[in-house]
Amino acid sequence: MTADSVTSSAAAPGAEYADTASAAYQAALRVIESVEPRIAAATRKELADQRGSLKLIASENYASPAVLLTMGTWLSDKYAEGTIGHRFYAGCQNVDVVESVAAEHARELFGAPYAYAQPHSGIDANLVAFWAVLATRVEAPELAELGAKHVNDLSEADWETLRNKLGNQRLLGMSLDAGGHLTHGFRPNISGKMFHQRSYGTDPETGLLDYDKLAAAAREFKPLILVGGYSAYPRRVNFAKLREIADEVGATLMVDMAHFAGLVAGKVFTGDENPVPHAHVTTTTTHKSLRGPRGGLVLAQPEYSDAVDKGCPMVLGGPLSHVMAAKAVALAEARQPSFQAYAQRVADNAKALAEGFLNRGARLVTGGTDNHIVLLDVTSFGLTGRQAESALLDAGVVTNRNSIPADPNGAWYTSGIRFGTPALTTRGFGSAEFDRVAELVVDVLNNTQPASTGPTGFSKAKYTLADGTAERVQAASAEILAANPLYPGLTL
Ligand code: PLP
């Protein structure tokens, strides 16, 4: 390990209580083992696998033991449909505390007027947000016009008219191959079935978001909802500009910051790059760069907060109280100054990884990064994304294949590999380690050949990895992994 990585290390939370956490996990695993040993074995093996591989999946992280332990309690046993203080079940006084603390931390951390901690996932958070906008902008005015207070008061005919209006709205989001997410209006997802959808892309030359084209698409399509946010775009977005565009066309701006919420929480994205003050509604997952439990959150401006609060029963059932508790713990961690140091390191490390690739002649979509994502175009190695992903996995490098703009290999095989720095930064990796990671990745890709299917053809899935490559790369990464242990001090 280099001096740089030692001195600038922003240690993951948990080392200070590792002994207590070890005892808790040892006991828990003994109990699980006595009931279903295969689950105990898979749980132990998962830790060993995660400890032993280079986790570069941009949407994953390592939550602290405090967050993980919080999920394993009897809070899971309680039904608590409804909202804080207004539940459809008796005995929710403790869940009320849990949800209030989670929402309070979310409001404080993100400077949001309102926060809703119930969504079970990012998809759920987006569904809550979509329906909050539909309820506020379509349902409420229709009810007012008809002089009705509640949908149950409507005649069959009026209800049918309202249902048709709700199902006849427009949504504009980033295209999948430019880095958008399935929930932003794509047909295989319910968002594409609920809305008439159009997408905005990126410049085919630079791969960068073209705000003028986005504005032109919004003027032409006039969406009810303009969605900002992405899963695989390696650059920052100017959300003030998105809000201007939304205002010009009368759209509600909804930003899905699932991927980069940790960079917002850690104050790496501020001003125009922080979506929270600009968007009417902001959604996120809590488990990616934010480093919490698997789950979702919705933040809203006051005009949408009542409708967001009706996420249950609108699209959710009983909240996962144990996960809301873990969200509260993770958000409390993210309010510590050490989280800001972590978030800055995530962004710095992405730059180091990108530089490492560029210095070794690789091509990156947009030519680099200024968030936590690096998108490598593997066509210059003569490979599809699928071949590259599998060959890297053979060498213990865990990534995922991803489309690139105008992808010649389509959405299944793809031409890109998406890398993210949040997880390995939690382990303590610094820029020197990420440069080494770039070297190892390039070593694997340079030694991977697509399998031949005949005199001129090549498979898009099959490949050969030159002898010794996987072993060489695994040995090199084992050294860096050992110097940056996952859950240091935690023994099972
Ligand atoms: N939104 C974005 C931008 C995402 O990248 C993802 C997941 O990758 C989601 C939503 C969905 O999150 P979840 O898997 O928690 O439903």
Side-chain angles (χ1 to χ4, degrees):
M1 191 152 56
T2 63
D4 157 60
S5 62
V6 174
T7 51
S8 59
S9 173
E16 66 278 20
Y17 53 78
D19 285 352
T20 317
S22 294
Y25 282 118
Q26 286 162 12
L29 283 163
R30 275 200 303 276
V31 172
I32 298 166
E33 209 149 43
S34 71
V35 180
E36 177 44 285
R38 289 173 296 179
I39 297 301
T43 307
R44 286 178 198 280
K45 173 82 169 34
E46 182 60 26
L47 179 59
D49 289 353
Q50 292 206 24
R51 279 180 159 164
S53 56
L54 285 172
K55 190 204 273 212
L56 287 155
I57 294 190
S59 51
E60 292 186 7
N61 211 327
Y62 304 107
S64 72
V67 168
L68 300 179
L69 285 166
T70 307
M71 281 188 281
T73 77
W74 34 90
L75 280 168
S76 167
D77 298 335
K78 188 74 195 104
Y79 244 112
E81 285 180 18
T83 52
I84 301 163
H86 301 275
R87 306 284 182 185
F88 291 89
Y89 289 79
C92 295
Q93 60 282 1
N94 300 309
V95 179
D96 280 349
V97 172
V98 164
E99 187 171 348
S100 303
V101 175
E104 177 195 302
H105 279 312
R107 285 193 308 271
E108 293 292 326
L109 178 64
F110 292 111
Y114 171 78
Y116 186 62
Q118 292 195 20
H120 312 330
S121 68
I123 281 211
D124 284 1
N126 286 348
L127 275 178
V128 169
F130 290 146
W131 281 98
V133 177
L134 289 167
T136 306
R137 295 202 48 198
V138 180
E139 187 174 292
E142 185 78 3
L143 288 178
E145 203 178 306
L146 293 166
K149 281 214 158 63
H150 195 276
V151 285
N152 287 346
D153 302 334
L154 297 182
S155 67
E156 277 299 320
D158 285 343
W159 174 231
E160 204 46 32
T161 307
L162 174 55
R163 276 187 357 94
N164 282 325
K165 277 198 179 162
L166 288 167
N168 204 16
Q169 302 300 323
R170 297 173 180 197
L171 182 128
L172 179 65
M174 191 183 234
S175 70
L176 275 183
D177 71 352
H181 188 256
L182 267 177
T183 54
H184 301 175
F186 296 92
R187 290 180 185 178
N189 179 260
I190 190 163
S191 57
K193 299 174 175 45
M194 277 162 42
F195 291 104
H196 300 289
Q197 187 267 0
R198 290 257 180 95
S199 37
Y200 54 88
T202 46
D203 184 278
E205 291 291 303
T206 62
L208 297 171
L209 194 51
D210 182 333
Y211 294 94
D212 292 335
K213 281 205 180 132
L214 199 172
R219 279 183 209 118
E220 201 216 315
F221 188 53
K222 298 207 171 12
L224 178 80
I225 304 179
L226 171 62
V227 183
Y230 52 79
S231 295
Y233 181 67
R235 294 291 176 176
R236 299 185 187 196
V237 172
N238 184 327
F239 293 107
K241 269 194 195 162
L242 257 59
R243 175 61 186 259
E244 258 173 49
I245 295 168
D247 284 347
E248 188 194 323
V249 302
T252 297
L253 177 62
M254 171 184 149
V255 175
D256 177 353
M257 62 170 183
H259 252 268
F260 54 90
L263 299 183
V264 177
K267 313 266 184 281
V268 175
F269 290 1
T270 56
D272 293 351
E273 294 165 355
N274 173 5
V276 180
H278 302 295
H280 296 94
V281 185
T282 305
T283 60
T284 185
T285 53
T286 45
H287 47 273
K288 301 187 186 16
S289 54
L290 197 51
R291 205 163 67 182
R294 306 199 72 77
L297 267 185
V298 182
L299 310 172
Q301 299 299 335
E303 65 265 42
Y304 290 96
S305 61
D306 281 353
V308 169
D309 219 27
K310 296 192 177 73
C312 166
M314 184 80 86
V315 295
L316 301 173
L320 309 177
S321 305
H322 56 308
V323 181
M324 288 198 297
K327 286 176 198 173
V329 171
L331 291 163
E333 288 176 352
R335 291 183 65 192
Q336 299 299 316
S338 58
F339 193 85
Q340 291 186 17
Y342 163 72
Q344 187 57 54
R345 246 167 104 83
V346 166
D348 293 347
N349 283 342
K351 280 219 180 324
L353 181 65
E355 285 297 312
F357 284 137
L358 293 171
N359 291 340
R360 292 169 179 92
R363 198 189 91 79
L364 300 178
V365 174
T366 79
T369 179
D370 45 32
N371 57 19
H372 61 296
I373 294 172
V374 175
L375 193 52
L376 178 67
D377 176 350
V378 293
T379 54
S380 59
F381 293 92
L383 300 170
T384 64
R386 178 147 179 212
Q387 289 161 328
E389 176 194 83
S390 304
L392 287 168
L393 188 64
D394 292 344
V397 184
V398 189
T399 63
N400 67 284
R401 65 188 187 277
N402 212 98
S403 299
I404 61 172
D407 200 307
N409 288 315
W412 177 248
Y413 293 107
T414 81
S415 302
I417 292 286
R418 185 184 66 164
F419 296 87
T421 52
L424 291 179
T425 302
T426 294
R427 278 186 83 137
F429 280 42
S431 48
E433 286 80 4
F434 272 99
D435 182 63
R436 183 85 169 112
V437 167
E439 189 185 344
L440 297 176
V441 167
V442 170
D443 186 0
V444 173
L445 300 182
N446 275 337
N447 283 290
T448 307
Q449 297 289 329
S452 159
T453 53
T456 54
F458 292 98
S459 168
K460 287 190 171 194
K462 296 200 175 120
Y463 61 95
T464 52
L465 184 58
D467 284 351
T469 307
E471 295 74 11
R472 180 172 66 247
V473 169
Q474 266 164 353
S477 46
E479 255 179 53
I480 328 173
L481 290 167
N484 296 276
L486 173 60
Y487 301 126
L490 191 85
T491 52
L492 291 189

